[in-house]
Amino acid sequence: MALEDAELNAPQAQAVAHVKGPLLVFAGAGSGKTRVITYRVANLVACERVPPYRILAVTFTNKAAGEMRHRLEGLLGEDVAKDLWVGTFHATCAKLLRRHGEAIGLPKSFVIYDTQDQKAVVTRVLRELDLDERRYPPRTALARIHAEKQEGRGPDEMETGSYLDEAVVKIFARYEEHLKSAGAVDFEDLIGRVVKLLEDPALPEGDTIRRRFEHVLVDEFQDTNAMQYRLLRALAKDHKNLCVVGDDDQSIYRWRGADVRNIRGFKKDFPDAEVVKLEQNYRSTARIVKSALAVIAPSRERVPKDLWTANPEGDAIEVVAARDEHDEAALVTRQIREAREAGTSLREIAVFYRVHAQSRVLEEALRVANLPYQIVGGTKFYERAEVKDALAYLRVLVNPRSDVDLLRIVNTPPRGIGATTIERLVAFAGARRIPVHDAIDRVDEVDDLGAAPKKKLAALRDLLARLRTQAEHDAPSIVLVDLLDATGYREALRTEDSAEADARLENLAELVGSIHDYEAEARAAGETPALTAFLERVSLQSDIDQMKDEARVTMMTVHGAKGLEFERVFLTGMEEEMFPYRGMEPGGDEEMEEERRLAYVAITRARRRLVMTHTSTRQIFGTTRWGRPSRFIRDLPAESIVQRATHAAAIPAERFIDRASSSRGLAPMPWTRSRQTDASRSSWRPERPEPSPSPPPSGVKAGERYVDRDFFDDSGAHGAMDDEGSIRRGARVLHNRFGEGEVRRVETANLGEPAVVAFFPGWGEKKVLARFLKLA
DNA sequence: TGCCACGCCCTTTTT
DNA sequence: GGGCGTGGCA
């Protein structure tokens, strides 16, 4: 029976299983946080006889939700687990709104606007209000709107101080109008609308929802924002069975409204809450745990916790200086290869970076070295233009009022409906405050349109009507396939016959595949596949959810790594201004605190081996940055680390000699360990490089610094990589359609994928994506 | 109207 | 480095 499972008897899980009422669990990194929640849920069902459909467990990512569900299936059996409500904040709210949204005027077929869609709305609003896009960048306005909505304020409740604020209020108000008219919601609305349902005493639905859940459990509670917390409190208002699990040291989403005070002040809102601290780390070696603690310790405001581990000391953490990002990538690649040869599975290896922009060079190096990898995040599949186009068609079929979607496809593929026509149509719709689709229905009334455009618009209207009829009875995948043909979308790409078009067709095929997957899952769950459900799933899915458990190296941002763990972790770009990252605006102490917590998260992902790399120079965003080692490196305990430099970093290029002290002949490595004062620790001011002491002769002992020229003799690294038997200039290659050819140039296609220009006899020069080629 | 080329802009993290 | 918008040209 479930309760005999060894996992259920783990001490940390037992500690909280039977507590009633509000419960706060501080779960340190690697202390078995998810286990706490799953055990508690299992216990509620198995021992307390709580019906599974009356338990709600909320997470932040679909992946976390999926994992939790999976574990619960193991503990309780699929039959029982399927009735549990396990999902992300957003997915859970979407589900509730599908059921009860009509009470607050939300149509059943509402669509969810993602960031791109929201930006399109704001851009349109700016035009309508005749505001200059330069003075009021959509991004900024949108950021402001979200910040307000995350606090639960509408345009009327906004506090205004400046002239800019006044404009934002107008934009905000109009933005909301557009969403309402389109039958659309943004991410904030999903939460906000459910809060509205729950808090409005005039609505019976609030009580219905409240009564439905007897127990509410929340994972990663430190990342909740004001509205999410309000939602939780509203849900648990009557029974107070609210169990929150989190770690304030791992709060890394302040920028998106997360408020650490929710977890730090939980006890104030729920004075009778039981508080449990889980401080034993089961995941990492002692050296890794100590290093993580050393990095988080200087944090100014944290709930005191003593993370400890009974695990062995483990290997020293390697801190490696590289010359530049290519040198860094070569080093990482080399170490990954060695790890694989030593028997570590690639699925147990991860490469982290602070920002996506760092991934390209690393990716290139892994690809050339023939090391399989997956990149999590970055340009997302569902955000690719052709995929968005296809989804826009589907969404228009479901909800014709969605202007963003309609305007996206009105002339895609080109069907002779030009900018002028669209402008007049939109003006007509705007003046009457009706959706654009309705304006097309009444196209004859649009006086300033000529006969030809009217005819074309009418043709589009009829096409969409036909497709809509079909969508009512056919399966979503069939609708999509037919739609791509009926609209001429696929044909347009075929005719284009370029590498990019091939890739787009490929992506569309993948989209059809993902609908098939969805349909299979829906049928397995006993549901009829529906377009709305598929679209909702797409809107709420992130790349981290797509992560496959395959034998390949995982590359991701540190944010993406939260909640995951790997045997071996490479933490790259550990330079001041890269990590801690410094964006356009200077950033305050709060942000520095968050960077520190982010570093803590990164370090605690590693089970056994951790390598940190930093470079002297780095090309990023088109310019060169000179970086000094990150302050987080200097916080590491000397006895837990070993420092090295690559060969290239040890013999710096001439241009550095003036900057560093050339007499020593070493790359600048100003990393004498010293405890910083509080003032300099939390400030973004560039610190003075400390003078490097002369390098000591070295063995491989922790705490020492040395340059191992034999080990890191990668001076020929780039040349070596070219010999890996990969596609390069002059190589003979095979293509499905064009046959055998010779590579003329290697380049990066617009889609960010490696592409080559090759000469194929009988076809001439063709640009093709590298993945469609084999070596001849 | 549609295509292409140029130039300008920005540049974190994500449900 | 790259995405996007604009402007000129067919």
Side-chain angles (χ1 to χ4, degrees), chain A residues 35 138 188 229 254 334 350 362 437 499 643 674 743 769:
Chain A
R35 182 182 287 182
E188 266 65 59
Y229 187 32
R254 202 182 76 93
R334 186 191 192 99
L362 291 161
H437 186 269
Q643 301 192 344
S674 69
V743 175
L769 294 182

Side-chain angles (χ1 to χ4, degrees), chain A residues 7 27 31-40 59 64 67-69 71 219-220 245 278 283 563:
Chain A
E7 197 162 279
S31 65
K33 180 169 51 71
T34 313
R35 182 182 287 182
V36 171
I37 295 189
T38 39
Y39 180 70
R40 188 173 158 87
T59 62
E67 232 171 71
M68 192 176 292
R69 183 173 284 286
R71 288 210 203 183
D219 196 10
E220 308 275 15
V245 182
L278 305 178
R283 178 188 295 154

Side-chain angles (χ1 to χ4, degrees), chain A residues 439-447 454 461:
Chain A
I440 297 184
D441 273 344
R442 293 160 56 178
V443 66
D444 289 333
E445 298 171 41
V446 188
D447 293 333
K454 279 186 182 173
R461 177 190 63 199

